[in-house]
Amino acid sequence: MSFVVNQTARFSVLDAPGVAQPAVQRPPAGAAVEERKAAEEFVPVPSTLSLDERFELCMAVGEECIQPEELRALLTAKDHPVAYDGFEPSGRMHIAQGLLRTLNVNRLTAAGCVFKFLVADWHAMLNNKMGGDLRKIRKLGQYFVEVWKSCGMNLDNVQFINASDIINDDANKYWSKVMDIARCFNLARIRRCCTIMGRKENEEMSAAQILYPCMQCADISYLGADICQL
């Protein structure tokens, strides 16, 4: 396991070639309003540790840090760097997802980081998870959150953000980023991103799967991540 600093992303492209995509569904309005209100009221808890202790905690997250000197500079400059990870609600959680991610998140938040989890519900819909039913996907995302709570994740400096919320609420900014990224890479480069999920470059993919890695890259930029991705 490794992590990277300063907007470096890992892309993943998931399966569902040839499956027709359903119409986009919006989540219940009340739920979205409550989630946005909670995000607006979010106040991060400062770390009581020294710079060296914060640095060591962050370094303990992975086997390798590509730019350790930039990580130290980041922690010096920011009391609350933004760490990012995204997950696609797509089934039952395994042990590594539950316990290992809880340990790593707790290390980063103890170091003062604000950890932004992107609940990649639109991504799961593009991948036809749960039959492409966005309401079911969001419910599954809530299940993931409850499992992490049960595993002992400290949520003081953690935010769970639904992809559907940022896409629906700020569509112009979000899709502008996606389109800019898509213009920067050719199709062959995008297709190579599918190998991270065990897919082969020469496999047939749907148009949604081609769009998927561009969206993942845009997510990191949109959320202002300093440290990504676990």
Side-chain angles (χ1 to χ4, degrees), residues 50 93 136 147 162:
S50 68
M93 186 182 293
K136 291 181 179 179
V147 172
N162 292 302

Side-chain angles (χ1 to χ4, degrees), residues 95-108:
I95 290 176
Q97 282 179 302
L99 296 179
L100 185 59
R101 182 168 288 183
T102 295
L103 291 172
N104 286 336
V105 169
N106 285 350
R107 286 167 177 155
L108 288 171

Side-chain angles (χ1 to χ4, degrees), residues 39-61:
E40 291 171 356
E41 297 174 350
F42 177 79
V43 178
V45 177
S47 175
T48 59
L49 303 177
S50 68
L51 174 61
D52 287 338
E53 290 172 327
R54 293 171 64 207
F55 178 77
E56 291 302 322
L57 271 179
C58 291
M59 290 293 290
V61 167

Side-chain angles (χ1 to χ4, degrees), residues 15-33:
D15 55 347
V19 178
Q21 301 296 332
V24 174
Q25 302 166 330
R26 286 181 176 269
V33 170

Side-chain angles (χ1 to χ4, degrees), residues 72-79:
R72 181 176 286 275
L74 174 67
L75 295 172
T76 302
K78 288 188 175 183
D79 292 331

Side-chain angles (χ1 to χ4, degrees), residues 21 25 42 53 59 66 78 113 129 162 185 193 213 217 219 221-222 229:
Q21 301 296 332
Q25 302 166 330
F42 177 79
E53 290 172 327
M59 290 293 290
I66 297 174
K78 288 188 175 183
C113 295
K129 296 298 173 67
N162 292 302
F185 300 97
C193 297
C217 186
D219 297 335
S221 174
Y222 184 93
Q229 165 172 183

Side-chain angles (χ1 to χ4, degrees), residues 188 191-195 199-205:
R191 289 180 67 89
R192 285 200 294 273
C193 297
C194 70
T195 57
R199 311 298 294 182
K200 297 179 180 179
E201 292 182 39
N202 58 359
E203 287 188 45
E204 182 179 355
M205 291 189 291

